[in-house]
Amino acid sequence: MLRSYLEEFFGRRHDLSRTLDLVVLSHPHSDHTEGASALVEADPAFDVLNLLDNGEPGSHDSGRKGQLALQRYVTENEGGYVSLSESDVKNVSGVSNAVIDPIDCRRAGGVDPKIVALWGRADLDVGWANDRNNDSVVVRVDFGKASFLFVGDMEHQGLSAMLESYEADPRIFDVDVLKVGHHGSMNATTPDFVRVTSPKIAVIQAGDTTFINEPHNAYVYGHPNRAAIRMLLAEDGGVSMTREPSQVRVGIKEKAWAPMHRRRSSPACAWTRPSTATVGTATSP
């Protein structure tokens, strides 16, 4: 799917010369790194100028192959590379440099998007840090007047630790659009995190719930989960932009689903098509 999207995109944008200024791999699980093959095996090739990830994958990480392949691809082509850990974040402004934020479109009449990394590999001697999901690279992007937060698969203990590290000033998490963590899993959204981010729109990448014969999919895991959706739609700090009322299917546990009524902007792949869960589906009240 990624390969098809990129071919279509660069088919329209010949001026970009099949070049990606930055690729971010949140963590080495296969559902986050399988697309690396579309980049390293393409013919004609894609040029990846910079890579941000959380470093050396473990020997048993399901996404090890893809993450290592893209690391090699970028370094062999003399691209920029940053392996980020949470200890690299020294203040509440996060981390940014020429690799993490290599893009400036002002000379072409566009804007200069600001990209900053807020979290990375958790090299901490606590149990939750042994979960690769909590090693996710977390990135904020400001594009013009709009702001976006991407949290990978961070789970509730990792989210709490990250917020605690920004306790002096958590405003950097306050965004317009939240890419919901861990595909809308019940263990990756917390009331505190929703209040701090106060998103206008929440986007959930969960996949197609009809692929019931596949071993790993939204149907099997019950993504997005009803508990997470309820937190996102809470009156106290939840998603603020509204849309036409609709009824959607939400997971209540693995392979178990129930209908739910919504009026706020929390689009998910499972409610449309796998490739079309975008903020463009939302409307103001």
Side-chain angles (χ1 to χ4, degrees):
M1 182 179 295
L2 176 62
R3 175 69 181 275
S4 298
Y5 170 80
L6 291 174
E7 293 293 353
E8 190 275 334
F9 174 76
F10 286 116
R12 291 185 286 108
R13 293 297 306 271
H14 298 286
D15 57 305
L16 298 179
S17 304
R18 297 175 69 84
T19 298
L20 297 170
D21 288 86
L22 174 66
V23 171
V24 180
L25 296 181
S26 61
H27 63 295
H29 282 168
S30 58
D31 57 325
H32 291 257
T33 66
E34 283 183 348
S37 61
L39 301 176
V40 303
E41 299 172 5
D43 185 17
F46 296 114
D47 192 5
V48 180
L49 301 184
N50 297 283
L51 172 64
L52 168 64
D53 67 19
N54 65 359
E56 179 78 13
S59 59
H60 299 293
D61 288 332
S62 62
R64 173 182 172 85
K65 180 180 178 181
Q67 187 150 314
L68 287 176
L70 195 54
Q71 288 174 359
R72 287 193 298 268
Y73 184 78
V74 171
T75 55
E76 287 172 0
N77 288 281
E78 301 182 345
Y81 174 62
V82 168
S83 162
L84 190 76
S85 73
E86 54 81 26
S87 62
D88 294 322
V89 183
K90 305 298 185 182
N91 56 60
V92 295
S93 298
V95 177
S96 192
N97 55 37
V99 173
I100 295 172
D101 185 6
I103 305 167
D104 187 344
C105 304
R106 288 176 294 183
R107 284 183 295 179
V111 301
D112 178 17
K114 301 299 182 183
I115 305 172
V116 60
L118 306 179
W119 187 261
R121 184 183 65 256
D123 296 325
L124 302 171
D125 189 20
V126 290
W128 60 262
N130 295 319
D131 187 332
R132 272 300 193 183
N133 288 335
N134 290 319
D135 286 335
S136 292
V137 173
V138 176
V139 173
R140 174 182 170 127
V141 178
D142 287 85
F143 189 87
K145 296 181 179 180
S147 53
F148 306 79
L149 185 66
F150 303 86
V151 297
D153 278 357
M154 291 282 285
E155 298 184 3
H156 59 91
Q157 290 173 304
L159 290 174
S160 295
M162 180 173 66
L163 291 182
E164 184 177 350
S165 70
Y166 285 82
E167 187 175 15
D169 188 355
R171 287 178 296 175
I172 199 166
F173 293 102
D174 186 1
V175 293
D176 299 315
V177 182
L178 172 65
K179 163 63 171 57
V180 177
H182 205 187
H183 320 290
S185 170
M186 67 181 298
N187 65 356
T189 299
T190 68
D192 285 344
F193 190 66
V194 173
R195 280 192 290 270
V196 169
T197 56
S198 63
K200 295 179 180 177
I201 301 168
V203 180
I204 305 169
Q205 184 268 316
D208 194 328
T209 63
T210 62
F211 295 159
I212 60 175
N213 293 321
E214 297 290 331
H216 305 291
N217 59 75
Y219 176 84
V220 170
Y221 291 109
H223 294 161
N225 185 272
R226 179 171 61 186
I229 300 302
R230 284 174 172 169
M231 284 183 270
L232 290 165
L233 301 183
E235 294 295 333
D236 178 19
V239 172
S240 59
M241 188 175 284
T242 59
R243 59 179 294 153
E244 290 298 317
S246 64
Q247 183 168 282
V248 296
R249 290 203 323 156
V250 295
I252 53 176
K253 61 180 181 178
E254 294 181 357
K255 300 181 181 180
W257 296 78
M260 184 175 183
H261 186 78
R262 63 169 184 153
R263 280 202 71 248
R264 298 195 188 182
S265 296
S266 54
C269 300
W271 303 330
T272 53
R273 295 192 302 275
S275 61
T276 56
T278 67
V279 297
T281 59
T283 57
S284 298

Coordinates of all heavy atoms in Angstrom, one line a residue, residues 46-113:
F46 N 13.8 5.3 -4.4 CA 13.4 6.5 -3.6 C 14.6 7.0 -2.9 O 15.4 6.2 -2.4 CB 12.3 6.2 -2.6 CG 11.0 5.8 -3.2 CD1 10.5 4.5 -3.1 CD2 10.3 6.7 -4.0 CE1 9.3 4.2 -3.6 CE2 9.0 6.4 -4.6 CZ 8.6 5.1 -4.4
D47 N 14.8 8.3 -2.8 CA 15.9 8.8 -2.1 C 15.5 9.3 -0.7 O 14.6 10.2 -0.6 CB 16.5 10.0 -2.9 CG 17.9 10.5 -2.3 OD1 18.4 9.8 -1.4 OD2 18.4 11.5 -2.9
V48 N 16.0 8.6 0.3 CA 15.6 9.0 1.7 C 16.8 9.8 2.3 O 17.9 9.2 2.5 CB 15.3 7.7 2.6 CG1 15.0 8.1 4.0 CG2 14.2 6.9 1.9
L49 N 16.6 11.0 2.6 CA 17.7 11.9 3.0 C 18.0 11.8 4.5 O 19.1 12.0 4.9 CB 17.4 13.4 2.6 CG 17.1 13.7 1.2 CD1 17.0 15.2 1.0 CD2 18.3 13.1 0.3
N50 N 17.0 11.5 5.3 CA 17.2 11.5 6.7 C 16.2 10.5 7.4 O 15.1 10.3 6.9 CB 16.9 12.9 7.4 CG 17.8 14.0 6.9 OD1 18.9 14.1 7.3 ND2 17.3 14.8 5.9
L51 N 16.7 9.9 8.5 CA 16.0 8.9 9.2 C 16.0 9.1 10.7 O 17.1 9.4 11.2 CB 16.5 7.5 8.9 CG 15.9 6.3 9.8 CD1 14.5 6.1 9.5 CD2 16.7 5.0 9.5
L52 N 14.9 9.1 11.3 CA 14.7 9.2 12.8 C 14.1 8.0 13.3 O 13.0 7.6 12.8 CB 13.9 10.5 13.1 CG 13.4 10.6 14.6 CD1 14.6 10.7 15.5 CD2 12.5 11.8 14.8
D53 N 14.7 7.3 14.2 CA 14.1 6.1 14.8 C 14.6 6.0 16.3 O 15.3 6.9 16.8 CB 14.4 4.8 14.0 CG 15.8 4.4 14.0 OD1 16.6 4.8 14.8 OD2 16.2 3.6 13.1
N54 N 14.4 4.8 16.9 CA 14.8 4.7 18.3 C 16.0 3.8 18.5 O 16.2 3.3 19.6 CB 13.6 4.2 19.2 CG 13.1 2.8 18.8 OD1 13.7 2.2 17.9 ND2 12.1 2.3 19.5
G55 N 16.7 3.6 17.4 CA 18.0 2.9 17.6 C 18.0 1.4 17.2 O 17.2 1.0 16.4
E56 N 19.0 0.7 17.7 CA 19.2 -0.7 17.4 C 18.0 -1.6 17.9 O 17.7 -1.6 19.1 CB 20.5 -1.2 18.1 CG 20.8 -2.7 17.8 CD 21.4 -2.9 16.4 OE1 21.8 -1.9 15.8 OE2 21.5 -4.1 16.0
P57 N 17.3 -2.3 17.0 CA 16.2 -3.1 17.4 C 16.8 -4.4 18.1 O 17.9 -4.8 17.9 CB 15.5 -3.5 16.1 CG 16.6 -3.3 15.1 CD 17.5 -2.2 15.5
G58 N 15.9 -5.0 19.0 CA 16.3 -6.2 19.7 C 16.3 -7.4 18.8 O 15.6 -7.3 17.7
S59 N 16.9 -8.4 19.2 CA 17.0 -9.6 18.3 C 15.7 -10.3 18.0 O 15.5 -11.0 17.0 CB 18.0 -10.6 18.9 OG 17.6 -11.0 20.2
H60 N 14.7 -10.1 18.9 CA 13.4 -10.7 18.8 C 12.3 -9.7 18.3 O 11.2 -10.1 18.3 CB 13.0 -11.4 20.1 CG 14.0 -12.5 20.5 ND1 14.1 -13.7 19.8 CD2 14.8 -12.5 21.6 CE1 15.0 -14.4 20.4 NE2 15.5 -13.8 21.5
D61 N 12.7 -8.5 18.1 CA 11.7 -7.5 17.6 C 11.1 -7.9 16.3 O 11.9 -8.1 15.3 CB 12.3 -6.1 17.6 CG 12.5 -5.5 19.0 OD1 11.8 -5.9 19.9 OD2 13.5 -4.7 19.1
S62 N 9.8 -7.9 16.1 CA 9.2 -8.3 14.9 C 9.5 -7.4 13.7 O 9.5 -7.8 12.6 CB 7.7 -8.4 15.1 OG 7.1 -7.1 15.4
G63 N 9.8 -6.1 14.0 CA 10.2 -5.2 12.9 C 11.7 -5.0 12.8 O 12.1 -4.0 12.1
R64 N 12.5 -5.8 13.3 CA 13.9 -5.7 13.3 C 14.4 -5.6 11.9 O 15.2 -4.7 11.5 CB 14.6 -6.9 14.0 CG 16.1 -6.9 13.9 CD 16.7 -8.2 14.5 NE 18.1 -8.3 14.3 CZ 19.1 -7.7 15.0 NH1 18.7 -6.9 16.0 NH2 20.3 -7.9 14.7
K65 N 14.0 -6.5 11.0 CA 14.5 -6.5 9.6 C 14.3 -5.2 8.9 O 15.2 -4.7 8.2 CB 13.8 -7.7 8.8 CG 14.3 -7.8 7.4 CD 13.6 -9.0 6.7 CE 14.1 -9.1 5.2 NZ 13.3 -10.2 4.6
G66 N 13.0 -4.7 9.0 CA 12.7 -3.5 8.3 C 13.5 -2.3 8.8 O 14.0 -1.4 8.0
Q67 N 13.6 -2.2 10.1 CA 14.3 -1.0 10.7 C 15.8 -1.0 10.4 O 16.4 0.0 10.0 CB 14.1 -1.0 12.2 CG 14.6 0.3 12.9 CD 13.9 0.6 14.1 OE1 12.6 0.6 14.2 NE2 14.6 1.0 15.2
L68 N 16.4 -2.2 10.5 CA 17.8 -2.3 10.1 C 18.1 -2.0 8.6 O 19.0 -1.4 8.3 CB 18.3 -3.7 10.5 CG 18.5 -4.0 12.0 CD1 19.0 -5.5 12.1 CD2 19.5 -3.1 12.6
A69 N 17.1 -2.5 7.8 CA 17.3 -2.3 6.3 C 17.3 -0.8 6.0 O 18.1 -0.4 5.2 CB 16.2 -3.1 5.6
L70 N 16.4 -0.1 6.6 CA 16.3 1.3 6.3 C 17.5 2.1 6.9 O 18.0 3.0 6.3 CB 15.0 1.9 6.8 CG 14.6 3.3 6.3 CD1 14.6 3.3 4.7 CD2 13.2 3.8 6.8
Q71 N 17.9 1.7 8.1 CA 19.1 2.3 8.7 C 20.3 2.1 7.7 O 21.1 3.1 7.4 CB 19.5 1.7 10.0 CG 18.5 2.0 11.1 CD 18.8 1.3 12.4 OE1 19.7 0.4 12.5 NE2 18.1 1.6 13.5
R72 N 20.5 0.9 7.2 CA 21.6 0.6 6.3 C 21.5 1.5 5.0 O 22.4 2.0 4.5 CB 21.7 -0.8 5.9 CG 22.2 -1.7 7.1 CD 22.6 -3.1 6.5 NE 21.4 -3.8 6.0 CZ 20.6 -4.6 6.8 NH1 20.9 -4.8 8.0 NH2 19.6 -5.2 6.2
Y73 N 20.2 1.5 4.5 CA 20.0 2.2 3.2 C 20.3 3.7 3.3 O 21.0 4.2 2.4 CB 18.5 2.0 2.9 CG 18.0 2.6 1.6 CD1 18.3 1.9 0.4 CD2 17.3 3.8 1.5 CE1 17.9 2.5 -0.8 CE2 16.9 4.3 0.3 CZ 17.2 3.7 -0.9 OH 16.8 4.2 -2.1
V74 N 20.0 4.3 4.5 CA 20.2 5.7 4.6 C 21.7 6.0 4.8 O 22.3 6.9 4.2 CB 19.4 6.3 5.8 CG1 19.8 7.7 6.2 CG2 17.9 6.2 5.5
T75 N 22.3 5.2 5.7 CA 23.8 5.5 6.0 C 24.6 5.2 4.7 O 25.6 5.9 4.5 CB 24.2 4.6 7.2 OG1 23.9 3.2 6.9 CG2 23.5 5.1 8.4
E76 N 24.3 4.1 4.0 CA 25.1 3.8 2.8 C 24.9 4.9 1.7 O 25.9 5.0 0.9 CB 24.6 2.4 2.2 CG 25.0 1.2 3.0 CD 24.4 -0.1 2.5 OE1 23.7 0.0 1.6 OE2 24.7 -1.1 3.1
N77 N 23.8 5.6 1.8 CA 23.6 6.7 0.8 C 24.0 8.1 1.4 O 23.6 9.1 0.9 CB 22.2 6.7 0.3 CG 21.9 5.6 -0.6 OD1 22.3 5.6 -1.8 ND2 21.3 4.5 -0.1
E78 N 24.7 8.0 2.6 CA 25.3 9.2 3.2 C 24.2 10.1 3.7 O 24.3 11.4 3.6 CB 26.3 9.9 2.3 CG 27.5 9.0 2.0 CD 28.5 9.7 1.1 OE1 28.2 10.8 0.6 OE2 29.6 9.2 1.1
G79 N 23.0 9.6 4.1 CA 22.0 10.4 4.6 C 22.2 10.7 6.1 O 23.1 10.2 6.8
G80 N 21.3 11.5 6.7 CA 21.4 11.9 8.1 C 20.6 10.8 8.9 O 19.6 10.3 8.5
Y81 N 21.1 10.6 10.1 CA 20.5 9.6 11.0 C 20.5 10.0 12.4 O 21.6 10.4 12.9 CB 21.2 8.2 10.8 CG 20.7 7.1 11.8 CD1 19.3 6.7 11.7 CD2 21.5 6.6 12.7 CE1 18.8 5.8 12.6 CE2 21.0 5.6 13.6 CZ 19.7 5.2 13.5 OH 19.2 4.3 14.4
V82 N 19.4 9.9 13.1 CA 19.3 10.1 14.5 C 18.6 8.9 15.2 O 17.5 8.5 14.8 CB 18.5 11.4 14.9 CG1 18.2 11.5 16.3 CG2 19.3 12.6 14.5
S83 N 19.3 8.4 16.2 CA 18.7 7.3 17.1 C 18.4 8.0 18.4 O 19.2 8.5 19.1 CB 19.8 6.2 17.3 OG 19.4 5.5 18.4
L84 N 17.1 8.1 18.7 CA 16.6 9.0 19.8 C 16.2 8.1 21.0 O 15.5 7.2 20.9 CB 15.4 9.8 19.3 CG 15.0 10.9 20.3 CD1 16.0 12.1 20.3 CD2 13.6 11.4 20.0
S85 N 16.7 8.5 22.2 CA 16.2 8.0 23.4 C 15.6 9.1 24.2 O 15.8 10.3 24.0 CB 17.4 7.4 24.2 OG 18.2 8.4 24.8
E86 N 14.8 8.7 25.2 CA 14.2 9.7 26.1 C 15.2 10.6 26.8 O 15.0 11.7 27.1 CB 13.2 9.1 27.0 CG 13.7 8.0 27.9 CD 14.5 8.5 29.1 OE1 14.2 9.6 29.6 OE2 15.4 7.7 29.6
S87 N 16.4 10.0 27.1 CA 17.4 10.8 27.8 C 18.0 11.9 26.9 O 18.7 12.8 27.4 CB 18.5 9.9 28.3 OG 19.1 9.2 27.2
D88 N 17.8 11.8 25.6 CA 18.3 12.9 24.7 C 17.4 14.1 24.8 O 17.9 15.2 24.3 CB 18.3 12.4 23.2 CG 19.3 11.2 23.0 OD1 20.4 11.3 23.6 OD2 18.9 10.3 22.2
V89 N 16.3 14.0 25.4 CA 15.4 15.2 25.5 C 15.7 15.9 26.8 O 15.4 15.4 27.9 CB 13.9 14.7 25.5 CG1 13.0 15.9 25.6 CG2 13.6 13.9 24.3
K90 N 16.3 17.0 26.7 CA 16.9 17.7 27.9 C 15.9 18.8 28.5 O 16.2 19.3 29.6 CB 18.2 18.4 27.5 CG 19.2 17.4 26.9 CD 19.6 16.3 27.9 CE 20.7 15.5 27.3 NZ 21.1 14.3 28.2
N91 N 14.9 19.2 27.7 CA 14.1 20.3 28.2 C 12.7 20.2 27.6 O 12.4 19.3 26.7 CB 14.7 21.7 27.9 CG 14.9 21.9 26.4 OD1 14.0 21.8 25.6 ND2 16.2 22.1 26.1
V92 N 11.8 21.0 28.0 CA 10.4 20.9 27.6 C 10.1 21.4 26.1 O 9.0 21.4 25.7 CB 9.5 21.7 28.5 CG1 9.5 21.1 29.9 CG2 9.8 23.2 28.6
S93 N 11.2 21.8 25.4 CA 11.1 22.2 24.0 C 11.3 20.9 23.1 O 11.1 21.1 21.9 CB 12.1 23.3 23.7 OG 11.8 24.4 24.4
G94 N 11.6 19.8 23.7 CA 11.9 18.6 22.9 C 13.3 18.7 22.2 O 14.1 19.5 22.6
V95 N 13.4 17.9 21.1 CA 14.7 17.9 20.4 C 14.5 18.1 18.9 O 13.6 17.5 18.3 CB 15.4 16.5 20.6 CG1 16.7 16.4 19.7 CG2 15.7 16.2 22.0
S96 N 15.3 19.0 18.3 CA 15.2 19.2 16.9 C 16.6 19.6 16.4 O 17.4 20.2 17.1 CB 14.2 20.4 16.5 OG 14.0 20.4 15.2
N97 N 16.9 19.1 15.2 CA 18.1 19.5 14.5 C 17.9 19.3 13.0 O 16.8 19.1 12.5 CB 19.3 18.6 15.0 CG 19.0 17.1 14.9 OD1 18.4 16.6 13.9 ND2 19.4 16.3 15.9
A98 N 19.0 19.4 12.2 CA 18.9 19.3 10.8 C 18.4 18.0 10.2 O 17.9 17.9 9.1 CB 20.2 19.7 10.2
V99 N 18.6 16.9 11.0 CA 18.0 15.6 10.6 C 16.6 15.5 11.0 O 15.7 15.1 10.1 CB 18.9 14.5 11.3 CG1 18.2 13.1 11.0 CG2 20.3 14.5 10.8
I100 N 16.2 15.8 12.2 CA 14.8 15.7 12.6 C 13.9 16.7 11.9 O 12.8 16.4 11.6 CB 14.7 15.9 14.2 CG1 15.5 14.8 14.9 CG2 13.3 16.0 14.6 CD1 15.6 15.1 16.4
D101 N 14.4 17.9 11.6 CA 13.6 18.9 10.9 C 14.4 19.4 9.7 O 15.0 20.5 9.7 CB 13.3 20.0 11.8 CG 12.3 21.1 11.2 OD1 11.9 20.8 10.1 OD2 12.1 22.1 11.8
P102 N 14.4 18.7 8.6 CA 15.2 19.1 7.4 C 14.4 19.8 6.4 O 15.0 20.2 5.3 CB 15.7 17.7 6.8 CG 14.5 16.8 7.1 CD 13.9 17.3 8.4
I103 N 13.2 20.2 6.7 CA 12.3 20.7 5.6 C 12.0 22.1 5.8 O 11.7 22.6 6.9 CB 10.9 19.9 5.6 CG1 11.2 18.4 5.5 CG2 10.0 20.4 4.5 CD1 10.0 17.5 5.8
D104 N 12.2 22.9 4.7 CA 11.8 24.3 4.6 C 11.3 24.6 3.2 O 12.1 24.6 2.3 CB 13.0 25.2 5.0 CG 12.7 26.6 5.1 OD1 11.6 27.0 4.7 OD2 13.5 27.4 5.7
C105 N 10.1 24.9 3.1 CA 9.4 25.0 1.8 C 9.2 26.5 1.4 O 8.6 26.8 0.4 CB 8.1 24.3 1.7 SG 8.2 22.6 2.1
R106 N 9.8 27.4 2.2 CA 9.5 28.8 1.9 C 10.1 29.3 0.6 O 9.5 30.2 0.0 CB 10.1 29.7 3.1 CG 9.4 29.5 4.4 CD 10.0 30.3 5.5 NE 11.3 29.7 5.8 CZ 12.1 30.1 6.8 NH1 11.7 31.1 7.6 NH2 13.3 29.6 7.1
R107 N 11.2 28.8 0.2 CA 11.8 29.2 -1.1 C 10.8 28.9 -2.3 O 10.9 29.5 -3.4 CB 13.1 28.7 -1.3 CG 14.2 29.3 -0.5 CD 15.6 28.8 -0.8 NE 15.7 27.4 -0.4 CZ 16.7 26.6 -0.5 NH1 17.8 27.1 -1.1 NH2 16.8 25.4 -0.1
A108 N 10.0 27.8 -2.1 CA 9.1 27.4 -3.1 C 7.7 28.0 -2.9 O 6.7 27.6 -3.6 CB 9.0 25.9 -3.2
G109 N 7.6 29.0 -2.1 CA 6.4 29.7 -1.8 C 5.5 29.1 -0.8 O 4.3 29.4 -0.6
G110 N 6.0 28.0 -0.1 CA 5.3 27.4 1.0 C 5.6 27.9 2.4 O 6.0 29.0 2.6
V111 N 5.5 27.0 3.3 CA 5.8 27.3 4.7 C 7.0 26.5 5.2 O 7.4 25.6 4.6 CB 4.5 27.0 5.6 CG1 3.3 27.8 5.2 CG2 4.2 25.5 5.7
D112 N 7.4 26.9 6.4 CA 8.5 26.1 7.0 C 7.9 25.3 8.2 O 7.7 25.8 9.3 CB 9.6 27.1 7.5 CG 10.7 26.4 8.3 OD1 10.8 25.1 8.1 OD2 11.4 27.0 9.0
P113 N 7.6 24.0 7.9 CA 7.0 23.2 9.0 C 8.1 23.0 10.1 O 9.3 22.9 9.8 CB 6.7 21.9 8.3 CG 7.5 21.8 7.1 CD 7.8 23.3 6.7

